[in-house]
Amino acid sequence: MIKKNIRKYKIMEKHMELTKTGKYGEARNLLILLRKGYIKLGLGDEDWETERFLDDIDCPANYSSRGYGVTFRI
């Protein structure tokens, strides 16, 4: 429970940082994750940046069988 709350706080901080720097695609991905509790990412540049950040904070990930997509949950 406490790990989940810490993850949410880190995601909120990153969302505010990305919004201030004008990276709205990545910020939108993080907002979707916060609202829904999960997000499916593909192979785009914005998705890759989001995936890299979520890997850094140890967010649980499920990769698709073909490797073209990943689903992150809080």
Side-chain angles (χ1 to χ4, degrees):
M1 173 90 168
I2 199 158
K3 280 187 175 184
K4 185 177 179 181
N5 289 337
I6 291 171
R7 249 188 245 126
K8 278 186 178 182
Y9 183 72
K10 287 180 182 179
I11 292 170
M12 282 187 251
E13 282 182 337
K14 186 68 172 181
H15 177 266
M16 288 187 287
E17 175 189 326
L18 290 170
T19 304
K20 288 178 185 177
T21 58
K23 297 182 179 178
Y24 299 117
E26 292 94 343
R28 179 181 46 86
N29 286 342
L30 293 179
L31 184 63
I32 291 169
L33 176 62
L34 287 170
R35 291 181 71 188
K36 289 186 175 180
Y38 71 93
I39 187 167
K40 295 179 181 180
L41 301 174
L43 296 174
D45 291 337
E46 295 169 349
D47 292 346
W48 183 79
E49 289 291 334
T50 307
E51 180 180 351
R52 193 174 62 148
F53 167 71
L54 294 173
D55 279 338
D56 289 343
I57 64 168
D58 297 326
C59 205
N62 292 325
Y63 289 91
S64 68
S65 61
R66 294 184 181 180
Y68 294 122
V70 61
T71 302
F72 281 97
R73 296 193 180 275
I74 294 181

